[in-house]
Amino acid sequence: MTHLQTENHHPKVFGRRKARPLKEQTQELYDNLLPSIRFNPDSFNWDTQNKLVLEIGFGGGEHLAFQALQNPNTHFIGAEPFINGIASLLKLIEEYNINNISIWDDDVHLLLDKAPKKEVFDRAYLLFADPWPKKRHHNRRFIQKDNIKRIHELLKPGGHWYIATDHVTYREWILEHLNASDALFTQERSDIYARPPEAQWPKTRYEEKGAREGRHSAYMTYKKIN
Ligand SMILES: C[S@@+](CC[C@H](N)C(=O)[O-])C[C@H]1O[C@@H](n2cnc3c(N)ncnc32)[C@H](O)[C@@H]1O
């Protein structure tokens, strides 16, 4: 039984979990590699001396794999329920022999519920999260008051939360919500529309899709205050 089938799953994942069947080789990685790197919040040493980073909704995992290779002494936890995305990351992990990523293959809210109520993460990423453009779906957006408070609680003093979007109304929503909680975070980039250097912040699949379709992205860096 996988995480995805456990009975404590609650319906916060509104997107797809699977788009197409996995190829045999990928299924093999899914069956054999994933169990060995699946994130277990109950047995994880949250007091590790290593830096700790969370990526929410890593999609195909290209950003996560890049960061993990660049920062071998940092441990990365990636949350993503989409099976084909997880499979893409598993391929990268195998190909580049990456050993500092753990995968939470489920709704990130379940992970946020299980993580300790203390400052454990140095950085968090939320890149091109689903924008849920229809008004009646706005409550599905990850950026909500409670999640902002929870990420703030989990970040170490001075920790950073990197957020990007190519969606105009979600961008406004993000800026508004993070500004509304201006006692919690401060936005550090002077020009949020300037693309950060790829050597620090590589392009993701959704960013490239947005660019192909003519959308401009915004890149925010929020620093925890207090
Ligand atoms: C638009 S995609 C962006 C993927 C990737 N970050 C990128 O930039 O290419 C949003 C991703 O968030 C994932 N997602 C949606 N709801 C989630 C949740 N509750 N917990 C974790 N991931 C979630 C989706 O499965 C999807 O892969």
Side-chain angles (χ1 to χ4, degrees), residues 131-146:
W132 296 110
K134 292 186 182 140
K135 196 159 184 204
R136 68 174 188 278
H137 290 152
H138 283 181
N139 60 349
R140 298 181 176 188
R141 291 173 165 174
F142 182 79
I143 296 292
Q144 308 284 348
K145 209 171 169 191
D146 286 353

Side-chain angles (χ1 to χ4, degrees), residues 12-13 16 55 57-59 62 79-82 106-109 127-130 204-207:
K12 286 259 176 79
V13 175
R16 302 174 303 174
E55 182 164 347
F58 60 72
E62 51 283 319
E80 175 58 65
F82 182 47
D106 207 337
D107 184 339
V108 71
H109 295 92
L127 306 179
F128 303 91
D130 297 316
T204 67
R205 199 176 290 184
Y206 270 84
E207 175 178 359

